[in-house]
Amino acid sequence: MLKRLEIDLRRRLKAPVSLASARAPLAEDQLDFTTRQRLTGFTTAERRNQWLRGRSALMAIAAKLDIEPRLAALNPPCPGISLTHGERISIAAGISPAQGIGIYFGSWRQIEASLLRCFLTEAEQEQLTVQSNFTRLRLWTVKQALFKASAVNRGLRLTDFEIDEVAEITGRARNCSRANSQLRCTSFMLRQGLLSIAIED
Ligand SMILES: CC(C)(COP(=O)(O)OP(=O)(O)OC[C@H]1O[C@@H](n2cnc3c(N)ncnc32)[C@H](O)[C@@H]1OP(=O)(O)O)[C@@H](O)C(=O)NCCC(=O)NCCS
């Protein structure tokens, strides 16, 4: 499934994006000293497992990109690598370390129309003539992916990003808080939800 997704993703974004997934947590003895310290901060076993599963996906993407599998350096937000968690799977996306990338999975759920103004700009809301929950959830995942693709995103809001054509499944966007910032983004419908990926140009 992931191989097909990766081929389609590369075709859509016209970029050598790699994907890697993990369904099982990384064994704790594979953590380095710094990374192991993070484990003490988790209060639930669920989050601890999710985090370890995420480290497994990060190790897999490092192997695919042929970069040093040093977890402390791979920890998002970092340029060139992004990570998202589904209920039972974690997916990492990677590209060249000089380029920002963001991946976000949103499981099927209701996104109320009243929430749109929290993550869409006024121009984007005006474009939305026909609305469905599918579109609202898709745009939510795209906005999160765009946010993650900006390696320096502290303090940014989802409305700092603007999608050119909200109706397009694959399209362009920009970070309005930065001059000349161009991004490309696309979404995939999976059985459990929607997966969006964005890259910085
Ligand atoms: C950072 C953010 C995108 C993470 O979303 P999430 O719901 O936890 O979803 P995901 O499973 O897709 O992503 C989690 C992973 O993102 C990565 N991540 C965390 N902060 C990040 C950041 N600032 N930038 C990029 N990636 C980040 C981490 O790898 C994290 O997994 P880990 O903690 O196990 O390592 C989200 O918390 C956020 O801040 N969004 C933007 C602001 C927003 O949504 N505002 C609400 C407006 S209505």
Side-chain angles (χ1 to χ4, degrees):
M1 189 274 276
L2 210 67
K3 190 69 216 165
R4 269 214 335 259
L5 203 67
E6 190 182 75
I7 293 169
D8 212 7
L9 179 60
R10 289 177 174 202
R11 188 179 53 76
R12 290 193 200 180
L13 294 184
K14 299 181 180 62
V17 181
S18 295
L19 295 176
S21 64
R23 290 183 182 274
L26 189 73
E28 282 180 41
D29 59 13
Q30 289 195 47
L31 297 176
D32 51 42
F33 177 73
T34 328
T35 323
R36 191 167 300 146
Q37 283 181 319
R38 278 293 300 276
L39 278 181
T40 54
F42 298 123
T43 49
T44 67
E46 195 186 346
R47 173 62 181 131
R48 183 186 165 96
N49 267 344
Q50 182 194 62
W51 188 83
L52 284 167
R53 197 181 62 200
R55 298 320 105 182
S56 197
L58 289 175
M59 293 294 263
I61 201 71
K64 243 178 136 167
L65 297 171
D66 203 18
I67 57 176
E68 197 189 345
R70 212 161 50 80
L71 278 174
L74 295 173
N75 216 26
C78 75
I81 288 186
S82 184
L83 174 69
T84 191
H85 302 295
E87 205 184 316
R88 292 194 203 89
I89 192 171
S90 296
I91 307 177
I95 196 165
S96 119
Q99 211 171 349
I101 186 164
I103 185 166
Y104 187 87
F105 175 77
S107 53
W108 296 121
R109 62 181 179 278
Q110 192 70 27
I111 303 281
E112 299 303 332
S114 58
L115 274 181
L116 287 174
R117 62 189 168 81
C118 299
F119 62 94
L120 294 187
T121 64
E122 280 182 18
E124 289 169 334
Q125 290 176 61
E126 277 166 22
Q127 279 188 45
L128 262 192
T129 43
V130 181
Q131 260 194 50
S132 63
N133 190 58
F134 178 89
T135 304
R136 291 196 291 270
L137 181 61
R138 176 175 63 78
L139 293 172
W140 167 255
T141 64
V142 171
K143 280 299 180 92
Q144 296 284 358
L146 290 167
F147 175 87
K148 283 174 145 187
S150 302
V152 186
N153 55 25
R154 186 185 278 254
L156 290 183
R157 292 160 305 173
L158 298 179
T159 47
D160 287 323
F161 298 88
E162 192 159 80
I163 302 163
D164 287 357
E165 301 285 339
V166 294
E168 288 179 351
I169 300 289
T170 301
R172 291 189 173 273
R174 64 206 163 87
N175 176 347
C176 308
S177 72
R178 271 184 42 199
N180 306 320
S181 142
Q182 288 290 327
L183 297 112
R184 274 172 284 159
C185 48
T186 192
S187 304
F188 293 89
M189 190 167 90
L190 307 182
R191 198 151 16 111
Q192 302 87 350
L194 285 161
L195 183 72
S196 288
I197 297 106
I199 56 169
E200 270 188 320
D201 275 334

